[in-house]
Amino acid sequence: GENVEQHPSTLSVQEGDSAVIKCTYSDSASNYFPWYKQELGKRPQLIIDIRSNVGEKKDQRIAVTLNKTAKHFSLHITETQPEDSAVYFCAAPPKGSFQKLVFGTGTRLLVSP
Amino acid sequence: ETGVTQTPRHLVMGMTNKKSLKCEQHLGHNAMYWYKQSAKKPLELMFVYNFKEQTENNSVPSRFSPECPNSSHLFLHLHTLQPEDSALYLCASSQEGGRNEKLFFGSGTQLSVL
């Protein structure tokens, strides 16, 4: 089955710095890689996703890159702001499963003003 | 955002109690999910329902019993739980239940088992 590893588990940056969170996956057949953001006490929400036919996708200050050969994908946040502070989860669907997303363990990002 | 609503928000129960968690989605979706979120562990999928039919049971103990009377409502019936079952239980929905679909989560029920 799929195994998704996420690093780092915690990340502290100063406001304005960039933040990078990386995930590796084991199933080479995985073709969809979403990122969810969960603010303290709130529900997880999809912030960006990428499919295996593209290498990079951007949406304002966030971007996701995918390296299919190395089987890893990363979330990049530029010009971080305090409201970016949250737990970020990556996920990937395993081969042979219609609906099951396997999530990473999460990265707690703290942006200090 | 009130697309997926869960009640109650918090629940404390003893190991001999029976309680139920409720989820309702107002998005017209056809798939609904129960996830368990424990500290320092990945989100764990518990159950999936597509068009009211259970399509996945991720080896969940029988003390958790799901019910999906229609595409908009999902319940999780709890009985004789263990302290290690304490966690945040999240409901989610998606349009058709496909692998590449966005999940819409509820705010969760924080469950404490004493």
Side-chain angles (χ1 to χ4, degrees):
Chain A
E2 180 72 280
N3 184 37
V4 178
E5 293 190 6
Q6 184 172 348
H7 299 281
S9 56
T10 59
L11 179 59
S12 294
V13 300
Q14 291 292 123
E15 184 176 359
D17 289 349
S18 294
V20 181
I21 304 169
K22 182 176 176 179
C23 284
T24 60
Y25 60 96
S26 58
D27 187 354
S28 57
S30 291
N31 60 359
Y32 173 66
F33 307 94
W35 285 92
Y36 284 80
K37 174 184 180 182
Q38 186 176 27
E39 297 177 43
L40 187 63
K42 296 192 175 181
R43 70 194 75 198
Q45 292 189 296
L46 180 74
I47 54 171
I48 195 167
D49 56 17
I50 191 168
R51 300 178 192 276
S52 58
N53 58 345
V54 297
E56 182 176 3
K57 184 177 178 180
K58 279 187 175 181
D59 183 3
Q60 299 182 7
R61 294 187 297 107
I62 60 173
V64 56
T65 58
L66 172 64
N67 184 326
K68 288 165 56 181
T69 303
K71 290 190 282 188
H72 66 72
F73 57 110
S74 299
L75 178 71
H76 305 255
I77 307 175
T78 58
E79 301 172 34
T80 54
Q81 301 168 3
E83 52 264 39
D84 295 328
S85 297
V87 178
Y88 292 82
F89 295 95
C90 63
K95 180 180 181 180
S97 172
F98 181 59
Q99 293 155 326
K100 180 181 176 180
L101 268 181
V102 179
F103 283 85
T105 49
T107 296
R108 183 172 299 279
L109 174 65
L110 177 61
V111 181
S112 303
Chain B
E1 185 178 336
T2 57
V4 181
T5 55
Q6 288 186 245
T7 54
R9 290 297 303 274
H10 302 274
L11 179 61
V12 179
M13 59 187 289
M15 290 190 285
T16 57
N17 292 160
K18 288 185 180 181
K19 297 286 184 183
S20 295
L21 310 185
K22 179 182 177 182
C23 177
E24 184 174 359
Q25 58 96 1
H26 308 275
L27 301 170
H29 290 168
N30 294 309
M32 295 188 77
Y33 311 74
W34 279 116
Y35 279 88
K36 178 183 178 182
Q37 187 175 32
S38 306
K40 298 184 180 179
K41 293 178 73 174
L43 279 162
E44 300 173 62
L45 180 66
M46 300 175 72
F47 301 104
V48 183
Y49 278 82
N50 250 113
F51 295 93
K52 304 187 303 178
E53 299 297 321
Q54 183 175 316
T55 56
E56 190 147 347
N57 175 339
N58 196 25
S59 303
V60 181
S62 59
R63 57 185 184 270
F64 295 91
S65 175
E67 178 190 0
C68 188
N70 54 60
S71 293
S72 300
H73 294 84
L74 185 65
F75 296 89
L76 188 62
H77 303 299
L78 316 171
H79 64 97
T80 59
L81 294 192
Q82 306 298 312
E84 59 264 30
D85 296 322
S86 298
L88 179 68
Y89 289 84
L90 289 162
C91 173
S93 70
S94 69
Q95 187 65 53
E96 301 292 343
R99 311 164 46 96
N100 299 345
E101 288 185 343
K102 176 179 177 180
L103 292 173
F104 293 78
F105 285 92
S107 298
T109 295
Q110 186 66 55
L111 174 67
S112 297
V113 182
L114 305 178

